[in-house]
Amino acid sequence: MNVRERTQQIEKQTLSPYAALSRNTKGRDRPEEECELRTPYQRDRDRIIHCKAFRRLKRKTQVFLSPEGDHYRTRLTHTLEVAQIARTIARALRLNEDLTEAISLGHDLGHTPFGHAGERALNEILPGGFRHYEQSVRVVEKLEKNGAGLNLTKEVRDGILHHTHGQEAATLEGRIVRYADRIAYINHDIDDAERAGVLEESQIPKAITDLLGTSKSARINRLVNAVVDNSQDGQIRMDPECQEAFDELNTFMYQQVYYNPYAKGEEKKVPTLIEILFTYLKNPDHLPEDMKRIAEEEGCERAACDYLAGMTDHYAIRLFENIYIPEAWSHY
């Protein structure tokens, strides 16, 4: 028995009957020889961490565009926070922590530059629309490794696809990530909004803080416990009272931060920038070589979208400046 087989034996002996055992994976699109050390889900986690799209997350906006200061969240730090919250829940429920971590780390790989403002802009101009969770799956299936993709297991791809809207993931591990994503972003966005001076803790309605707590740590702890305490029977959920307060906190954040004209003032520039770049990149002569292959196979609009969605905020701005701003003007 090698290390992987021993790990899978431990999974069978110790994990919940509801857990997705790595030995029972539905597999990959392209069969591979098993690793002697790592389970399939551990290999997926490692492939995601080492891929280019994961590294680019460090320079993609979470909420505040190009903030002044080193302590604001980026798409990468958000991803790491989601992974830690999700792993805590999975371990408490004796579910597969490796699968949960892999889904968490891959859930935002397809996110656009400029946060949800970039996603909305691409959704408006791409025929058929644009959704970052679908693009995340496209990244791991088709765009990484020069078109070969990462060849991840079906369970990881399913969890990535269903981490935010619509149908639930097929595994409980994937459903945990949906909760962990919301728990993470609502609470770290409160923290960032306070840092930016657009929100004070005291503004959060007392009915919410009385139940969930008056600090980031207290709220995360309360929400994580609400999931763990109410998910012992093969379902992932919170108790109704906590879920209602959580939903009210989400609504409050949309009113006070996500639609705040001060916090989001720069976002009005995003649709124009995205549209201009998209129009420019629809010309295959303006695409890099790996995107020209996409253009030939699926059309120039699809290739332009893939290239644009993969950009960091800084790269998109620099490309725009290089194309449209005379070099002499950029020194003013």
Side-chain angles (χ1 to χ4, degrees):
M1 183 179 292
N2 61 31
V3 173
R4 170 187 51 79
E5 291 168 335
R6 187 162 65 246
T7 299
Q8 291 178 319
Q9 183 67 21
I10 292 171
E11 285 182 359
K12 183 179 179 181
Q13 293 171 346
T14 61
L15 293 186
S16 161
Y18 304 110
L21 301 182
S22 62
R23 67 191 296 172
N24 296 332
T25 177
K26 294 180 179 178
R28 311 177 188 278
D29 288 347
R30 300 186 301 277
E32 299 178 3
E33 185 177 345
E34 292 275 21
C35 175
E36 292 187 355
L37 295 177
R38 297 168 297 160
T39 70
Y41 300 146
Q42 290 173 337
R43 294 179 80 185
D44 285 359
R45 173 204 60 203
D46 294 349
R47 290 177 185 187
I48 290 168
I49 288 175
H50 289 285
C51 78
K52 292 185 293 184
F54 186 79
R55 294 195 292 275
R56 291 197 299 268
L57 294 177
K58 68 182 178 181
R59 305 202 79 179
K60 290 195 176 192
T61 285
Q62 179 62 29
V63 171
F64 295 94
L65 300 185
S66 302
E68 294 294 331
D70 294 332
H71 299 130
Y72 290 91
R73 269 72 172 191
T74 65
R75 192 63 57 180
L76 178 60
T77 56
H78 161 71
T79 293
L80 297 176
E81 291 184 30
V82 172
Q84 292 307 106
I85 290 171
R87 287 180 60 193
T88 296
I89 297 172
R91 183 176 296 184
L93 295 175
R94 292 192 298 119
L95 297 175
N96 196 309
E97 199 171 335
D98 295 323
L99 173 57
T100 306
E101 184 177 29
I103 295 169
S104 299
L105 294 174
H107 82 280
D108 268 354
L109 292 179
H111 223 301
T112 60
F114 313 116
H116 287 288
E119 181 176 19
R120 289 191 296 269
L122 264 182
N123 186 53
E124 288 291 321
I125 59 179
L126 181 69
F130 178 91
R131 290 157 288 276
H132 79 272
Y133 44 92
E134 295 174 348
Q135 187 69 13
S136 294
V137 175
R138 183 171 171 82
V139 167
V140 300
E141 287 185 343
K142 193 170 184 74
L143 300 182
E144 277 292 328
K145 297 186 72 173
N146 299 317
L150 302 180
N151 198 29
L152 304 182
T153 58
K154 289 181 171 62
E155 291 81 10
V156 171
R157 287 178 286 150
D158 173 81
I160 291 172
L161 180 62
H162 297 115
H163 80 266
T164 181
H165 291 302
Q167 180 182 344
E168 287 189 323
T171 63
L172 297 190
E173 289 82 358
R175 297 176 195 179
I176 284 174
V177 174
R178 183 181 287 205
Y179 270 98
D181 185 31
R182 291 189 70 205
I183 292 171
Y185 79 67
I186 288 176
N187 284 287
H188 66 49
D189 291 350
I190 292 173
D191 192 38
D192 282 353
E194 291 181 32
R195 182 170 291 108
V198 300
L199 180 70
E200 294 182 3
E201 182 80 35
S202 59
Q203 293 177 261
I204 302 175
K206 189 173 185 298
I208 296 175
T209 57
D210 282 349
L211 184 63
L212 300 185
T214 58
S215 70
K216 174 171 64 69
S217 296
R219 282 189 296 271
I220 291 175
N221 185 65
R222 180 70 177 89
L223 292 166
V224 167
N225 274 282
V227 174
V228 171
D229 292 344
N230 292 277
S231 303
Q232 304 292 336
D233 58 353
Q235 301 292 325
I236 303 299
R237 59 178 172 238
M238 294 182 185
D239 60 277
E241 185 181 27
C242 205
Q243 183 69 62
E244 182 179 0
F246 189 38
D247 292 341
E248 289 175 358
L249 181 59
N250 186 62
T251 300
F252 169 81
M253 285 297 290
Y254 270 92
Q255 295 169 344
Q256 298 296 319
V257 177
Y258 302 141
Y259 293 147
N260 183 296
Y262 173 76
K264 297 298 196 174
E266 292 297 297
E267 284 191 0
K268 63 181 181 293
K269 303 172 184 177
V270 170
T272 299
L273 187 149
I274 293 290
E275 184 175 4
I276 290 173
L277 286 179
F278 184 80
T279 300
Y280 176 83
L281 294 170
K282 284 194 298 183
N283 182 335
D285 292 335
H286 297 157
L287 292 168
E289 288 302 317
D290 57 333
M291 289 295 113
K292 289 180 181 178
R293 174 185 54 81
I294 299 291
E296 293 172 359
E297 295 175 357
E298 301 181 62
C300 293
E301 289 182 328
R302 181 71 255 178
C305 172
D306 287 340
Y307 187 36
L308 188 48
M311 294 179 186
T312 65
D313 297 26
H314 294 268
Y315 186 89
I317 292 170
R318 190 165 65 247
L319 179 61
F320 180 87
E321 290 176 341
N322 289 342
I323 296 168
Y324 293 107
I325 299 178
E327 184 176 355
W329 294 2
S330 65
H331 299 304
Y332 281 102

